[in-house]
Amino acid sequence: LCDRRQRQMCIRDSIKMYLPYGTQVKIAKEVGTTRCHINDYFSGKIKNSPKIEKAVIAEFDRFQSERKALKEKIINSVE
C-alpha cells in the first residue's frame, strides 16, 4: 500500500514538473474548482479524483503534443 502511494506521488510530481506555469489555473477552470484544490491534488492531499486526474492527463498529453510539434518544426527549419 505504501509503495503504491509513493508511486502515485512520484507520477504526480513528474507530471507537475513538466507542465508550464499557469496550467493549474487552466485545469481548475476546466473542472470547476480552484487552483489551490489542484495544488492539493498534486501534493497528495486529495487522494483520488477521477475528474482532476482526467483533466491533468489531458493537459499533459496536449502539452507533450505541442512540445513534440515545436521540436519537429525546429528540426525541419535547420535542415
Side-chain angles (χ1 to χ4, degrees):
L1 186 62
C2 184
D3 290 335
R4 185 174 63 85
R5 286 188 190 138
Q6 266 184 321
R7 190 172 57 247
Q8 287 174 334
M9 278 303 301
C10 186
I11 291 168
R12 287 178 184 165
D13 287 347
S14 297
I15 290 174
K16 183 179 178 182
M17 194 170 73
Y18 280 101
L19 293 174
Y21 180 80
T23 303
Q24 288 186 25
V25 172
K26 186 176 181 180
I27 294 168
K29 287 180 182 178
E30 185 178 322
V31 297
T33 190
T34 64
R35 187 209 49 83
C36 290
H37 195 78
I38 301 302
N39 193 55
D40 286 347
Y41 165 78
F42 278 115
S43 67
K45 293 177 185 173
I46 298 173
K47 300 300 179 204
N48 291 321
S49 175
K51 191 175 183 180
I52 293 174
E53 288 175 1
K54 185 177 178 180
V56 167
I57 291 168
E59 190 61 28
F60 180 74
D61 288 344
R62 186 194 65 74
F63 177 70
Q64 290 295 86
S65 294
E66 285 180 6
R67 187 175 169 195
K68 182 180 177 184
L70 180 59
K71 184 178 177 181
E72 288 173 7
K73 188 175 181 179
I74 291 169
I75 290 170
N76 291 335
S77 69
V78 172
E79 295 174 343

